[in-house]
Amino acid sequence: MPVAKGRINQLDFLKCLFIALMVVFHLVYIGDKYPYAKAIVYTFHMPAFLMISGYLMNVKKDTKGFAKTIWQLLLPYTVMETGYTVMASLLPIREHIDHLSIEVLAEKIFIHPLGPYWFLHTLMLCDITYYLAFRLIHKNLLVRFTLMGLSLYILSHYLGIINLSCALYFMAGTIIQQLRISFIKLFPASPWIVIPFVLLLMFPENLDKATVPGILIVFLAIGIGLWLFQHTPKRMIPLLLGIGRNTLPILLFSPIFTLLCKFLLPLLQFDPSGMAFLLLSLTISMAGSIGIGYVIDRLGISQKTLGKNLTSSFPKEA
């Protein structure tokens, strides 16, 4: 299977899987209809995504290169978080804001983001903490990771601007990277791990990413994802890898479509399970999000503001 330069197909597949789950359970109708399934998915999908992000983060860049990386997240994050916050003040959604002000907007952008954009907020803070610990402190790994861990603890416990458990999953990915351990080989890609996975999911108290059972659920979910990669029909792989390479535009723009897709519900009342709504909404949200990114790229806006395109090309073959 051809691998694009700098890409790991298995990780792109995992990113596709986890971003799809994010979109599915941002559909209010699906989340309300299947609350236990939502709780299960929320235990592992973003922690696993953060772990992958930590593993892939490059701290060998010079200061200019790293600043450019942060800018490529900060600008679209700020634009979309601003738009989402304004929307929350105008529409009767669950995250509705009664009184929008400059102070409220600044608080949502810099401290407590709304919607799925908390992920980018957390990712940027973790990236900066990781970079500073490894580029400014010339000590051994133990000292660097101790400094990084303490910094994340301060950001969480004293400043309250990140979730510590989420940040520690990112840090786990950086540890795997720095110890030069293969991410793919670390997680068991076996059908047998479905058994302990299901057993853990049977008890609601286990559905907490900050607990030992929650950590095991994340570990096993990644292994199951890697096993699924091995057994996915080859004709589907290019599409799934392409989605995995375009998670940023999906993260940025999918809230637009998950909101609009609620208008499909009256047309799909024939399916009480909600699966028709799920599949159609997921397809529209992913295709629409990548489509918006592609249009922005074609208009040259991405290159002028970010210095790179928002979207990546889909592989032509598996």
Side-chain angles (χ1 to χ4, degrees), residues 41-54:
V41 168
Y42 272 48
T43 304
F44 68 80
H45 73 322
M46 283 311 185
F49 218 123
L50 282 165
M51 191 181 297
I52 293 170
S53 299

Side-chain angles (χ1 to χ4, degrees), residues 24-83:
V24 165
F25 286 100
H26 280 167
L27 296 165
V28 174
Y29 177 73
I30 298 299
D32 289 346
K33 195 171 187 65
Y34 299 100
Y36 199 74
K38 179 178 179 179
I40 290 172
V41 168
Y42 272 48
T43 304
F44 68 80
H45 73 322
M46 283 311 185
F49 218 123
L50 282 165
M51 191 181 297
I52 293 170
S53 299
Y55 180 76
L56 295 176
M57 175 60 192
N58 179 12
V59 288
K60 295 182 179 179
K61 295 180 180 179
D62 59 21
T63 303
K64 183 178 179 180
F66 177 74
K68 183 177 180 181
T69 297
I70 295 299
W71 174 251
Q72 291 167 346
L73 295 175
L74 178 62
L75 178 60
Y77 160 78
T78 302
V79 171
M80 296 308 297
E81 178 61 27
T82 299

Side-chain angles (χ1 to χ4, degrees), residues 185-249:
K185 294 179 180 178
L186 180 63
F187 298 89
S190 166
W192 294 107
I193 62 175
V194 173
I195 297 174
F197 184 71
V198 171
L199 290 174
L200 285 168
L201 300 182
M202 291 173 63
F203 302 94
E205 60 269 23
N206 291 339
L207 305 184
D208 182 349
K209 60 182 175 291
T211 65
V212 172
I215 293 170
L216 289 174
I217 288 171
V218 175
F219 181 83
L220 295 172
I222 293 174
I224 291 171
L226 292 173
W227 179 79
L228 288 174
F229 173 77
Q230 296 174 357
H231 294 83
T232 298
K234 287 188 176 181
R235 64 181 179 275
M236 294 178 60
I237 291 294
L239 172 62
L240 300 179
L241 295 184
I243 293 171
R245 295 176 187 180
N246 286 280
T247 53
L248 179 57

Side-chain angles (χ1 to χ4, degrees), residues 152-190:
L152 294 175
Y153 180 77
I154 292 170
L155 290 173
S156 172
H157 186 73
Y158 291 103
L159 301 181
I161 58 177
I162 61 171
N163 179 286
L164 183 60
S165 60
C166 287
L168 291 179
Y169 279 103
F170 175 92
M171 185 172 170
T174 68
I175 292 172
I176 296 170
Q177 178 202 74
Q178 291 294 331
L179 294 180
R180 303 185 184 278
I181 299 171
S182 168
F183 193 96
I184 309 305
K185 294 179 180 178
L186 180 63
F187 298 89
S190 166

